[in-house]
Amino acid sequence: MALALGSWAPARAEGGLETLMTNGPCGNRLDVVFFSEGYTSAECGQFSADAPSALEALLAKQPYTAYRSHFNAFAVFAASAQSGSDHPKLGIARDTYFNSTYDPAGDYVITIPETADGAGKLDALLQQWLPAFQTNRDLVVVLVNDAARGGSGGPRIITSKGATWEEVLVHESGHTLGRLGDEYEEPTPGFEHPGLEFPNVTTNTTLARIPWKVWIDPATPLPTPEDDLQYWDVIGLFEGANYSSTGWYRPKYDCLMRTTFSWSRFCEVCQEALVLAIRERVRPGEDFLPASTNLVVGLGQRLAFSVALVQPEGQTVRVQWCTNGMPVAGATHAAFVLEGAALAPGPHTVQARLEDHTAFVRSDPAGRLSQVQTWHIERIGLRLDPPRVLGGGDCYVRVSGHATGEVVLEGSTDLAAWQRLLTNGLEEGEWRFTNRCVPSHGFFRAVTTP
Ligand SMILES: [Zn+2]
């Protein structure tokens, strides 16, 4: 086939990568990538407007707002031959890049095939544009250019541009990131999860067995009456969740995992799960210096340590520096200096202990809010006892202390020029020897080899 150059421009199948927001290295940020689905090449500009809107919609809800600096965001445009998506219930089929479709029963749940025709294309684009992206820790959002309401969570978020699509996107992120369950009670055949508990959905009614028990005031009745206004803003045990109006319970009267109105918010229990999910991916500290964790320091030397804190709103990450496991008073800044003179010769440790004291989390059994960086320090130092002159012209010398390498005994007659006499290692912190060459020098010193 011959191309008539200049007469037409072939539609670009992949429009490329657009960076929406960077806050740090991809390896220590939650990277979000928005993909276009059902946008024709003529609608590329529309996607360029929709992707940042979707990002801001996500970051407009807590706890994402507070943790905004923990995200990077990108957009990848892939042109579809036709606009929209398939609606099998309505007999509508459209030729789109990722072959998305609404479900045939409810015309709401949007999926793409987990094959080369769908997810495979998505993975190939990730490989091409964002090789550092990790599908098991980062977030893929497929924006479907269709006006009918719908979406899905799971390994990736899919959302259309139907009514309250921004809230649908945030709701689905609760499933994908926080592994949260649905708090609504309308039966939806095929989507019930019998016997499966979630951080925000349970069948347990005794306080000790409720996953969010630390959020429940002892005065709050369990189950919590739904028709009593005084409990609408507290955490309790409300019946109706997981597609069932009986036998399943949720933490709060309302939550984004239950309703997707523009004013809906995640309840405290769901916020906690999401902050733990963010902290699982984004550690509180990065750029630890020195980069090497095995260091040597001498008597008159000092070592400078530092860490960059990845702070949410409110600057809730704090650091405590410790030597040999003990906190150093006042050492709570991003930088710390260790004086060799403050340590006895021998092995030591320096630690930066970081913790996010966020109010979003009350229970952190896996320790995701804390981080410890440890450096191993060898404090080197030698002691040379005054040489003792023995009978027969011999001299007894003892060197003790701590060295990482060999120890050299040097002699001098004027304290200016030093001559290497003997080299040896310390055995259990000591080197004793008797030698005839020593008495010919007036002064001696022991030094470590570098
Ligand atoms: Zn919730």
Side-chain angles (χ1 to χ4, degrees), residues 19 28 32 54 69 79 146 150 152-153 162 186 212-213 242 262 274 302 305 310 317 337 362 398 423:
T19 299
N28 198 39
V32 187
S69 63
D146 196 299
S152 66
E186 298 77 26
W212 54 89
K213 57 181 180 286
N242 199 27
S262 61
L274 289 167
R302 52 171 49 181
F305 299 85
V310 186
V317 173
V337 173
R362 288 190 181 177
R398 176 178 180 266
T423 302

Side-chain angles (χ1 to χ4, degrees), residues 401-423:
H402 191 83
T404 52
E406 302 247 82
V407 173
V408 180
L409 184 72
E410 295 179 339
S412 173
T413 54
D414 57 3
L415 286 174
W418 291 92
Q419 184 190 351
R420 177 175 287 221
L421 301 175
L422 293 162
T423 302

